[in-house]
Amino acid sequence: MTALFEHSPWIEERAASRNHADLMAVVHAASADERLALIRAHPELAGKAAIDGSLTQASAAEQASAGLDRMTPAEFERFHTLNAAYAQRFGFPFIICVRLTDKAGILAAMQARLAHDRDTEIAAALDQIGEIVRLRLEQPA
């Protein structure tokens, strides 16, 4: 069974069922600290976990689907620079549902979302986690 949430089994444990609405209700009812921990449990895109092989199987497949496992040195440097700027500004990794975009779309979103305030980015990250979970639920086991 695929883990739906990155290193956050507490969500599935608290949910009434394994359907998207129930799972996301748990996320939205969680404390601010729990929501932030959920966001921080996600790997940086094309980051250290992708290089050292410590991504979850689901994350590795998702990042590969967007071509993040096949980057030019210039693309890798751009991702690294934007990841660092984003983490510095917000204190957590940039999250986007990579299965719904490509490298160029991810980079454009990273650049645009750097202009947001922290509360807007927390909400955006949780929305993107919701999309990731929705797609993981739709995958055959």
Side-chain angles (χ1 to χ4, degrees), residues 4-5 20-21 23-24 27-28 38 42 62 95-101 113 123-139:
L4 298 175
F5 293 88
H20 189 258
L23 292 164
M24 293 312 295
V27 170
H28 292 294
L38 169 63
H42 279 257
E62 290 159 357
I95 300 174
I96 191 167
C97 183
V98 297
R99 288 176 53 197
L100 298 177
T101 190
R113 286 172 49 188
L126 293 173
D127 286 345
Q128 291 299 305
I129 289 169
E131 285 300 295
I132 293 164
V133 169
R134 181 183 61 78
L135 291 174
R136 286 179 180 178
L137 282 166
E138 291 174 1
Q139 285 181 291

Side-chain angles (χ1 to χ4, degrees), residues 26-62:
V26 170
V27 170
H28 292 294
S31 71
D33 286 343
E34 288 173 320
R35 289 191 304 269
L36 194 54
L38 169 63
I39 293 167
R40 287 183 174 145
H42 279 257
E44 185 176 83
L45 295 177
K48 180 181 179 285
I51 294 166
D52 70 16
S54 64
L55 286 177
T56 63
Q57 184 177 356
S59 283
E62 290 159 357

Side-chain angles (χ1 to χ4, degrees), residues 37-116:
L38 169 63
I39 293 167
R40 287 183 174 145
H42 279 257
E44 185 176 83
L45 295 177
K48 180 181 179 285
I51 294 166
D52 70 16
S54 64
L55 286 177
T56 63
Q57 184 177 356
S59 283
E62 290 159 357
Q63 289 197 29
S65 76
L68 301 186
D69 60 339
R70 302 173 304 279
M71 291 195 295
T72 67
E75 288 171 331
F76 183 80
E77 180 58 33
R78 185 74 180 132
F79 267 90
H80 180 74
T81 298
L82 287 171
N83 275 329
Y86 188 93
Q88 175 70 31
R89 177 157 168 74
F90 299 113
F92 50 82
F94 175 80
I95 300 174
I96 191 167
C97 183
V98 297
R99 288 176 53 197
L100 298 177
T101 190
D102 59 15
K103 286 186 277 192
I106 295 165
L107 287 168
M110 289 174 90
Q111 186 68 53
R113 286 172 49 188
L114 275 168
H116 291 170

